Amino acid sequence: MDLLTDRQGSVARAGDGRAIVAGRRSVAGSVSQRACTFCGSRVVLYPIADALHLVHGPVGCAGYTWDIRGALSSGPQLHRLSFSTDMREQEVIRGGEKSLAHALRVLIGRHRPACAFVYATCIVGVIGDDVGAVCRTIEAETGIPVIPVASEGFKGTKKDGYAAACGALLDLMGRPGAGGPTIPKSVNIVGDFNVAGESWLIRSYLERMGIEVVACLTGDGRVDDIQRAPRAALNLVQCAGSMTRLAKAMRDRWNIPFEQVSFIGLEDTAAALYKAAELVGDADTLARTRELVRSEMAAVKPELARLRTDLEGRRAALYVGGAFKAFSLVRALRQLGMRTVMAGTQTGGGDDYEHLKSLVDPDTIIADDTNPLELAAFLQSERVDLFIGGVKERPIAYKLGIGFCDHNHERKIGLAGFAGMVSFAREVHATVTSPVWSLMPRQRVAP
Amino acid sequence: MTMRDPTTNPCRLCAPLGASLVFRGISGGMPLLHGGQGCATYIRRYLISHFREPMDVASSSFGEQAAVFGGEPNLHAGLDNLIRQYQPALVGVATTCLAETIGEDVPAMLRRWRMQHPDGPELVPVSTPSYQGSHVQGFHAAVAALVAHFAEPMALERTVALFPGMISPADLRHLREIAAGCGIEPILVPDYADTLDGPTLSEWTPLPTGGTTIADLRRLGGCRAGIQLGRCADPDPAAVLTAHAGTPASTLGLPLGVRSTDAFIQALTGILGTVPAPWLAAERGRLLDAYVDGHKYAAGARVAVVADEDLAAALAGWLTEIGCRVVLVGSGGRSGRLLSAVAAAGGPGDAAVADQDHAALADLIAAAQPDLLIGPSKCAPAARALDLPLVRCGFPIHDRLGAQRLLTVGYRGTLRLFDEVVNTLLARKQAGSEVGHAYL
């Protein structure tokens, strides 16, 4: 593959000794699969279901992010509505503070949210709006937290948007009345977004072990729960790329230790639960954990073994948002007998890629912030049978007659935990073994 | 001045989306958005979910430095990288709200790039700030920019410029067939019939096959006439063609329904004095036969329509033609022409409401008490809440397969839609029946 000069440091093969250049702004003209700072903030805070999420700017940013995450709520559905100040030319000329204040008054009066987040889009700072000042005014008027999220799209990468979202969450946790004494045998689930109900499943495991879940950040999130989060005894950080910053800040401020875990795949799920039991539980917790892992594993293994017989030796490529999901997927695919031949992420860091290389087989392609042409080249040269990614990656696989599994946040199928592993295996099986591939013009050569 | 209320669940996307779609409809064309990276990515995701096809859109990927000191280095680097990867024949450069707000002079930047790269691809700038208009206006602005870039007075040929508006690939393909049936090989701008509804590949190609060729764009000035389909186009590319090459312009509604398809065919055949092919009359006959078979089921059915303005107007006119009662014609569009376009299509202008969001539309739909809703996927929550059948039509269709294949224009497209609308009404009746007969 003839890489752009500026992209040559961002693609390597495991074992070739080259470090990956990561964490940079996307190369102009490269057609990155990444979105922007706003996107990073929006996806992290989105699942908070009793908050008002107001996008301050022209209408597009709100339109593109209306109800696009399969993040479920057990109660209010306010997060699934998309609010915008719908800035027009007059506001661009005269400033948008008045219309922002008006929008907040109208929407808070109409929906009675527990708090409001105001996302700044690209032009807000450029036209000189003081979003923080408007938020303070409205907070004083309405009595609910009104929190500015500095998510101007151009200000950095998606990762900077995660940071802005973590700042907003910390702001909520630091309010008067938040926090309190530590709850024994308790955790926060940090960085699960309850896509297709996954947070509920993880919570049910922990509860069966006798561990209380104080808050899930932010899946099925509620403002009250988030404000109670400083009382947890441990933070279990799943989406490490977006939430480690928050966990570190909570450690520094409230002395809450954190552990990076994953609930994708059997091994990682079991390891996460044992870790939680070990760190906040007692002998009884550990016994219950053993029993839970044993019974859950026993329930899913026969089906996984059956599916594995058709998948053994197949070749997979994956391109996902964060590095920790990539780690888990490499292991989960191995459990199905499949080999990862290409792995990339939008937001991984240099250390993450070194770890990823250590997990995969030698020669596996590793890529940071890749693009459609690179992906298409990798899928072809590595003779891939399965591609795992999101909506923007799907047509690349399908055009080439390659199976695809959506592991992004728009999916409707829960893929976490023990039960999720079976759903994942079934989806992979359904796509990889479909008879339609035998009709396609491009026939893969057996490796 | 009363303050405009905030928008809840937008019924508009931003202008660069429409422009990106247009440049995908040019052979060898590639869109580049001048601004932050996210705009391109969000637009790609939105269009991919609708067309289920690759949709590459480049970005000049602004950082803070570009936002403060200007994005010319980013734009130039973006062009260089884009050209190296894709070897495009044309790059359409659309602005984002950020670039417009900081006052970027994109045409001047492109001229400076051109001086260094005299042999590079055609570069077509278009101004598409998202705080103006909508995705549909961005679409028309990009078509108008192409016309302004290429059209110049020249000797006349036996051809016609056809500006179809934002319709499906299947519709574009059928418009070409209808024109061929009228003895005309039109220059269709844009033409994403093949680029956004292509076959599976044996080998990846950076740019899809198909689209309006640059050779054809250069022939625009030689057209006998320019026809704009849709009366809400603002800017109107046919008028831009008149201004640049003196080409006579006509504006028609989308050819949906018997009368409007008749008018379209009449306009086409009138230009060169050609005679329509017999298959057109045969299709028209079958459509009329279907109208007769189904007229009683459609009679008086209360239908609410939500769509971009030109499709909304065409649907309202057609539903009136078959005897339905159009109780709402809603749109997020802001051209200011919806009411007159609905009336011109033969629909009830007083049922038209423009510049709406989906939250307001949901309330209007509920109040209108329809039997049936025709609209995009974004109407699905309202349809579900009201237990209304939704016939999916227009843009976007994110919750069903086949948006790129939905045929809605011509006698053939009308027939497909007629069957679907009548059958949906019948299904509702059947579902509510205690007896549940297996015959009509």
Side-chain angles (χ1 to χ4, degrees), chain B residues 378-404:
Chain B
K378 301 299 172 189
C379 288
R384 183 183 159 103
L386 296 168
D387 192 22
L388 272 179
L390 171 63
V391 168
R392 285 167 180 76
C393 192
F395 177 86
I397 295 176
H398 284 168
D399 64 343
R400 291 288 185 276
L401 281 183
Q404 70 276 52

Side-chain angles (χ1 to χ4, degrees), chain B residues 18-19 22 126 135-145 163-166 228-230 232-237 310:
Chain B
V22 168
V126 57
H135 58 290
V136 180
Q137 273 161 292
F139 184 100
H140 295 305
V143 179
F163 305 111
M166 203 172 137
Q228 169 64 44
L229 297 181
C232 301
D234 174 25
D236 180 349
D310 281 317

Side-chain angles (χ1 to χ4, degrees), chain B residues 324-341:
Chain B
C324 291
R325 187 158 165 220
V326 180
V327 291
L328 175 72
V329 192
S331 182
R334 296 175 55 198
S335 74
R337 302 176 189 180
L338 180 64
L339 193 153
S340 63

Side-chain angles (χ1 to χ4, degrees), chain B residues 99-185:
Chain B
E100 291 283 345
T101 304
I102 64 172
E104 295 279 274
D105 185 353
V106 171
M109 293 175 189
L110 295 183
R111 280 195 297 276
R112 286 191 284 272
W113 184 88
R114 170 66 70 204
M115 284 194 281
Q116 309 294 321
H117 307 80
D119 301 324
E122 294 285 348
L123 302 177
V124 180
V126 57
S127 170
T128 47
S130 58
Y131 47 77
Q132 274 175 3
S134 67
H135 58 290
V136 180
Q137 273 161 292
F139 184 100
H140 295 305
V143 179
L146 285 165
V147 173
H149 184 84
F150 286 103
E152 53 190 20
M154 59 176 68
L156 292 187
E157 296 182 56
R158 285 181 59 83
T159 191
V160 170
L162 189 53
F163 305 111
M166 203 172 137
I167 56 179
S168 78
D171 284 337
L172 292 170
R173 215 171 288 136
H174 191 45
L175 285 184
R176 285 198 302 228
E177 281 181 285
I178 293 173
C182 295
I184 289 171
E185 201 179 311

Side-chain angles (χ1 to χ4, degrees), chain A residues 251-443:
Chain A
R251 179 195 61 195
D252 296 346
R253 189 146 167 198
W254 293 289
N255 243 343
I256 305 172
F258 71 88
E259 192 64 34
Q260 290 180 338
V261 298
S262 164
F263 292 97
I264 300 293
L266 301 186
E267 292 170 48
D268 287 10
T269 303
L273 297 178
Y274 280 123
K275 198 60 163 176
E278 181 194 315
L279 291 175
V280 301
D282 49 25
D284 172 57
T285 320
L286 203 57
R288 288 161 80 164
T289 309
R290 273 197 210 101
E291 174 50 26
L292 183 150
V293 170
R294 195 200 54 75
S295 68
E296 292 287 333
M297 289 272 198
V300 300
K301 282 211 162 155
E303 175 71 348
L304 291 177
R306 186 184 72 79
L307 297 166
R308 180 178 167 136
T309 54
D310 294 327
L311 298 173
E312 196 84 51
R314 302 292 194 126
R315 299 160 71 86
L318 53 99
Y319 185 65
V320 294
F324 274 66
K325 186 185 275 186
F327 303 158
S328 292
L329 284 173
V330 169
R331 285 192 278 262
L333 287 163
R334 198 168 275 151
Q335 181 126 42
L336 297 176
M338 298 181 71
R339 184 180 156 191
T340 303
V341 294
M342 183 262 151
T345 79
Q346 290 182 15
T347 59
D351 295 346
D352 296 331
Y353 287 116
E354 288 310 307
H355 184 62
L356 185 56
K357 286 178 184 171
S358 74
L359 288 177
V360 295
D361 291 327
D363 271 350
T364 295
I365 293 176
I366 308 290
D368 176 65
D369 188 23
T370 182
N371 64 36
L373 296 189
E374 290 175 8
L375 285 168
F378 301 152
L379 297 185
Q380 292 174 111
S381 71
E382 305 310 301
R383 304 186 310 278
V384 165
D385 300 297
L386 169 75
F387 188 23
I388 300 177
V391 169
K392 294 184 299 293
E393 286 79 35
R394 185 178 57 209
I396 306 171
Y398 282 179
K399 272 288 145 186
L400 289 168
I402 291 170
F404 181 78
C405 171
D406 186 346
H407 215 300
N408 205 348
H409 49 72
E410 288 177 49
R411 63 193 153 82
K412 312 285 189 299
I413 302 170
L415 301 176
F418 302 102
M421 181 64 195
V422 176
S423 305
F424 174 66
R426 285 189 182 134
E427 191 177 342
V428 167
H429 188 271
T431 189
V432 168
T433 65
S434 169
V436 302
W437 306 130
S438 65
L439 299 166
M440 297 299 140
R442 179 175 164 277
Q443 294 297 314

Side-chain angles (χ1 to χ4, degrees), chain A residues 59-332:
Chain A
V59 77
C61 306
Y64 299 124
T65 54
W66 173 22
D67 200 20
I68 62 163
R69 266 207 123 170
L72 302 183
S73 164
S74 54
Q77 304 288 331
L78 190 55
H79 65 304
R80 294 183 56 204
L81 303 182
S82 177
F83 302 108
S84 170
T85 50
D86 196 352
M87 200 183 266
R88 301 186 183 183
E89 201 152 25
Q90 283 309 307
E91 285 110 323
V92 175
I93 296 164
R94 292 183 192 154
E97 291 177 14
K98 279 187 186 151
S99 63
L100 173 59
H102 176 68
L104 283 166
R105 287 187 188 108
V106 168
L107 293 171
I108 291 170
R110 192 183 290 162
H111 296 286
R112 304 278 162 203
C115 89
F117 295 107
V118 178
Y119 302 82
T121 59
C122 281
I123 65 172
V124 165
V126 177
I127 63 172
D129 281 6
D130 186 344
V131 175
V134 175
C135 288
R136 284 191 295 277
T137 305
I138 302 298
E139 178 161 335
E141 274 179 38
T142 60
I144 64 163
V146 180
I147 299 173
V149 186
S151 54
E152 285 92 339
F154 66 89
K155 276 202 167 158
T157 66
K158 192 171 170 185
K159 237 179 162 165
D160 297 292
Y162 295 153
C166 289
L169 291 169
L170 277 173
D171 184 340
L172 261 187
M173 290 177 201
R175 298 286 167 136
T182 300
I183 300 166
K185 275 204 205 181
S186 73
V187 298
N188 294 316
I189 303 169
V190 180
D192 189 89
F193 304 104
N194 203 32
V195 172
E198 288 175 343
S199 304
W200 296 331
L201 186 68
I202 297 166
R203 181 185 281 264
S204 78
Y205 293 153
L206 291 163
E207 285 172 357
R208 278 162 63 188
M209 291 155 49
I211 291 176
E212 180 180 342
V213 176
V214 180
C216 185
L217 300 165
T218 54
D220 196 13
R222 299 291 183 280
V223 171
D224 271 354
D225 290 343
I226 293 165
Q227 296 195 311
R228 263 173 20 108
R231 300 185 58 191
L234 173 70
N235 276 329
L236 287 176
V237 182
Q238 155 137 293
C239 183
S242 64
M243 293 300 224
T244 300
R245 176 186 294 260
L246 178 71
K248 282 183 179 161
M250 290 175 76
R251 179 195 61 195
D252 296 346
R253 189 146 167 198
W254 293 289
N255 243 343
I256 305 172
F258 71 88
E259 192 64 34
Q260 290 180 338
V261 298
S262 164
F263 292 97
I264 300 293
L266 301 186
E267 292 170 48
D268 287 10
T269 303
L273 297 178
Y274 280 123
K275 198 60 163 176
E278 181 194 315
L279 291 175
V280 301
D282 49 25
D284 172 57
T285 320
L286 203 57
R288 288 161 80 164
T289 309
R290 273 197 210 101
E291 174 50 26
L292 183 150
V293 170
R294 195 200 54 75
S295 68
E296 292 287 333
M297 289 272 198
V300 300
K301 282 211 162 155
E303 175 71 348
L304 291 177
R306 186 184 72 79
L307 297 166
R308 180 178 167 136
T309 54
D310 294 327
L311 298 173
E312 196 84 51
R314 302 292 194 126
R315 299 160 71 86
L318 53 99
Y319 185 65
V320 294
F324 274 66
K325 186 185 275 186
F327 303 158
S328 292
L329 284 173
V330 169
R331 285 192 278 262

